[in-house]
Amino acid sequence: MSCDRDLTVNPPETSPFGVDLAALVRELDLPAEAVNWLERIDRPATSPGLVLPDDAEAAQQLERLGVEEEDRYETLASRPDPHAHPALWWVLDRAYHALLATMGEAVPIEGHSGWPVRFSPETGPVGRHVPVWMYLAVLPEVRRYHAERGIPDDVSWSSLTGLAAVMQKHRSVTGLSGIGLFGFGTSAMLLFRGAQYRLGQLEFNRGAISLSDGPCGYALSVHVPPVRPLSPRLCDESFTQAREFFFRHFPEEPVTFFTCGSWLLDPQLADYLPESSNIVQLQRRFHLLPVHTEADLPPADGDLAEYVFGRSYPDLDDYPQETTLQRAYVAHLRSGGHWYERTGWLPF
């Protein structure tokens, strides 16, 4: 429900520029949940506000982050401005402060659900690139945090290039540059608050864990970027690096185990792929958490399609059939089945 149809929503009366924020929020057609969340952000009254890098600096940052040339060009051409885009700037400023407020924090026990802010396509290219500019604004802060933790420069920059991967996926799925149609809840958020790191082939994010008797330590959640190959040797190297890296740079967070929630752990894949396949070898590392029925599992048909094909197609006949995994995806759906996200764990 958009805020102009929900009388319980009470955004601040004016922006820093004396503009009616209720009208601005209606302009963005944000749902009540998003407006209420934005209002609750603890933005320090003495904060000078965010400062965006100029075009020359932004271009250098985007290139250093591995963003492709076309996406760099469109980002620079879609710079938000507080006077020309007051509604978008209001959201950008508050989201920036929300990210700063969590700088360095591990994922809490209740998990990471992202932010409830998603712009409509009507906000155009500027709206689609607002999250990109938020990350550019916070880049100096996360780099400072990395330096304080003694994190090597190569790991710092390698981790932050996850922004480029999100932008590539956005273009592949939507056909448009930016991130905004995905919302603000992308994986880049954890990277830019210092919670997630790329170590070799894999990414790991710090997270607090709780068992029946309450908080009991930390786990590392494993993420597999859409890169090839996913060889056992390279995975071995990543796990070894992770054990050393987090013990050295986050000694106050005792890690108990690795965990992974992904369609890559769906045991149905082993029915189609050879035992020697990289995916099956990855599955063999983890102990799967039990489930009662498939109805308890998160569906992952779309996630698998985006990883394997780069996008979802309207009809099964449209999917390429060039690899064993591509053929497995289509054959399983044709048989009436679905793919599911499974969760596994691995001793630290």
Side-chain angles (χ1 to χ4, degrees):
M1 180 182 296
S2 62
C3 64
D4 54 326
R5 296 186 294 275
D6 186 343
L7 300 180
T8 66
V9 176
N10 297 297
E13 294 181 359
T14 61
S15 75
F17 310 102
V19 179
D20 179 358
L21 283 181
L24 298 182
V25 171
R26 284 196 297 271
E27 173 190 329
L28 298 180
D29 196 30
L30 292 174
E33 178 188 16
V35 179
N36 290 331
W37 177 82
L38 287 163
E39 285 189 84
R40 292 195 300 270
I41 293 172
D42 184 16
R43 186 190 187 285
T46 58
S47 171
L50 82 164
V51 177
L52 299 183
D54 62 28
D55 281 354
E57 183 181 2
Q60 291 177 349
Q61 291 174 342
L62 290 166
E63 185 173 9
R64 187 67 180 82
L65 292 168
V67 176
E68 294 182 354
E69 183 176 5
E70 185 175 8
D71 287 332
R72 297 199 303 268
Y73 174 81
E74 294 197 31
T75 298
L76 296 175
S78 305
R79 171 187 288 271
D81 178 86
H83 299 284
H85 317 102
L88 293 173
W89 188 269
W90 180 69
V91 175
L92 170 59
D93 179 79
R94 302 191 75 80
Y96 165 79
H97 283 90
L99 187 54
L100 283 186
T102 60
M103 182 61 65
E105 293 183 4
V107 176
I109 288 173
E110 60 268 23
H112 170 70
S113 59
W115 296 341
V117 179
R118 183 187 300 272
F119 294 139
S120 71
E122 284 69 29
T123 59
V126 176
R128 294 199 311 273
H129 289 84
V130 160
V132 181
W133 284 100
M134 177 190 69
Y135 291 127
L136 293 180
V138 86
L139 178 61
E141 303 302 324
V142 69
R143 289 278 295 151
R144 185 174 298 113
Y145 174 75
H146 286 171
E148 291 171 353
R149 282 281 173 172
I151 292 168
D153 238 25
D154 60 335
V155 174
S156 174
W157 284 112
S158 175
S159 299
L160 296 173
T161 57
L163 174 63
V166 176
M167 294 185 72
Q168 290 169 4
K169 182 177 180 181
H170 189 279
R171 182 178 288 280
S172 175
V173 173
T174 69
L176 298 168
S177 179
I179 294 177
L181 299 185
F182 283 175
F184 281 78
T186 68
S187 58
M189 189 182 299
L190 294 179
L191 297 170
F192 277 76
R193 81 182 220 186
Q196 185 165 313
Y197 296 89
R198 175 76 177 266
L199 299 170
Q201 192 79 341
L202 304 173
E203 293 177 347
F204 304 85
N205 74 253
R206 304 153 42 221
I209 56 175
S210 173
L211 299 179
S212 58
D213 56 351
C216 61
Y218 294 84
L220 294 177
S221 181
V222 182
H223 300 271
V224 182
V227 295
R228 309 295 192 275
L230 186 65
S231 74
R233 179 184 62 81
L234 292 177
C235 288
D236 284 342
E237 293 175 359
S238 288
F239 282 113
T240 298
Q241 289 180 57
R243 292 183 177 97
E244 298 172 352
F245 177 87
F246 290 96
F247 179 80
R248 178 183 303 115
H249 299 289
F250 299 93
E252 76 281 12
E253 296 179 359
V255 176
T256 306
F257 53 81
F258 295 100
T259 183
C260 181
S262 172
W263 61 266
L264 286 162
L265 298 188
D266 188 339
Q268 297 178 113
L269 286 164
D271 297 333
Y272 296 90
L273 303 177
E275 180 70 24
S276 60
S277 77
N278 291 335
I279 290 177
V280 173
Q281 293 300 305
L282 178 69
Q283 291 183 350
R284 297 291 183 259
R285 296 176 185 269
F286 290 90
H287 305 280
L288 285 184
L289 298 185
V291 295
H292 294 294
T293 66
E294 289 184 345
D296 300 323
L297 297 171
D301 294 343
D303 292 338
L304 197 154
E306 289 179 7
Y307 184 96
V308 177
F309 302 97
R311 51 167 290 197
S312 294
Y313 289 84
D315 191 274
L316 289 178
D317 291 334
D318 298 329
Y319 284 93
Q321 297 288 273
E322 299 172 359
T323 69
T324 302
L325 186 56
Q326 289 176 345
R327 292 189 290 272
Y329 177 86
V330 172
H332 189 65
L333 294 185
R334 286 194 189 283
S335 71
H338 290 281
W339 300 105
Y340 298 100
E341 179 181 312
R342 295 295 301 269
T343 299
W345 67 277
L346 172 70
F348 186 73

